[in-house]
Amino acid sequence: MRDLSKAVLRPFAAGLALAALSLVAVHAEDAKKPDPALANQLNPNDKTAEPDEKLLAKDAAVKVEDGKYFDAAGAPTFHVTDNGKKVDWYSYSGYRRYHAECHVCHGPDGMGSTYAPALKDSLKYLSYEEFVGIVVGGKQDVNASTQKVMPAFGDNKNVTCYMDDLYVYLKARAAGAMGRVRPGDKEDKPEAARKGEKECLGG
């Protein structure tokens, strides 16, 4: 009986994975032509932002749905307006969540520490899927001289319910769209964010 359930569940899980990939592909297909209105307006006076032109172009928002911005690959991304003073809701929320849950190990503003990497650097190359996998399942880097362990946060709703927020904030830090400052202004919290938060937290 146990073998039968495995035989049934494996194709089902594979089907779910393919459906998720198809959804990302549809997002990417829909988002090929950038909308000039979604261009980021960075603060030229913020010397802590360290803009990376290649990443800013790659991570640029090309589509917005229910207050959430997406890049050309269909991954969540940031949106900065008002000469760098205003950010989208998810970037703002990510800033708050990061400094509540992650900064003790990874340092303020994603700058890293003596025992955990600078996530503002890690997000220069990690994909959305890789980021989620590491946060949910944890990671170990072990060699002859060091042992770095990232615990799994899959059971921590204060992290998993705000996965996109954390990703978007750190992506903005990696691209240099946001500096080492608390966002001055933010877009209103989208209804979709309220609904998703309530469903995820079980409230």
Side-chain angles (χ1 to χ4, degrees):
M1 184 70 175
R2 186 176 293 169
D3 291 336
L4 178 62
S5 64
K6 282 183 181 177
V8 171
L9 287 176
R10 281 184 184 149
F12 179 71
L16 283 177
L18 284 174
L21 286 173
S22 298
L23 185 60
V24 170
V26 167
H27 269 301
E29 192 64 34
D30 289 346
K32 281 189 176 175
K33 294 183 181 176
D35 180 351
L38 298 180
N40 286 300
Q41 303 164 16
L42 307 186
N43 180 356
N45 299 316
D46 184 359
K47 305 305 180 191
T48 69
E50 304 173 21
D52 182 319
E53 297 303 328
K54 285 184 180 176
L55 281 177
L56 286 169
K58 176 178 165 285
D59 298 337
V62 297
K63 184 176 180 181
V64 58
E65 288 180 2
D66 299 322
K68 182 179 280 191
Y69 296 84
F70 297 91
D71 64 18
T77 196
F78 50 85
H79 187 232
V80 181
T81 55
D82 194 19
N83 197 31
K85 296 174 189 156
K86 186 173 185 178
V87 298
D88 63 281
W89 169 261
Y90 293 93
S91 294
Y92 171 77
S93 175
Y95 169 88
R96 292 179 60 222
R97 294 293 162 185
Y98 176 85
H99 287 92
E101 301 291 333
C102 313
H103 85 281
V104 173
C105 291
H106 289 282
D109 311 304
M111 296 294 288
S113 70
T114 55
Y115 52 91
L119 294 181
K120 78 171 189 65
D121 296 331
S122 300
L123 266 289
K124 290 180 184 292
Y125 59 86
L126 281 180
S127 70
Y128 175 71
E129 293 78 14
E130 290 168 330
F131 174 79
V132 171
I134 291 170
V135 173
V136 170
K139 184 179 180 184
Q140 289 190 33
D141 288 328
V142 180
N143 60 42
S145 60
T146 62
Q147 180 175 350
K148 293 182 179 179
V149 178
M150 160 86 176
F153 283 88
D155 293 331
N156 185 338
K157 289 189 175 184
N158 288 321
V159 174
T160 56
C161 291
Y162 302 96
M163 191 73 73
D164 286 3
D165 311 45
L166 290 165
Y167 177 74
V168 166
Y169 165 66
L170 290 168
K171 194 173 180 177
R173 286 288 294 125
M178 291 174 67
R180 298 193 63 186
V181 293
R182 182 183 178 91
D185 196 7
K186 62 190 180 302
E187 294 179 8
D188 291 337
K189 187 172 186 177
E191 188 54 40
R194 291 182 197 279
K195 184 179 177 185
E197 182 178 48
K198 186 174 180 181
E199 288 175 355
C200 186
L201 293 173

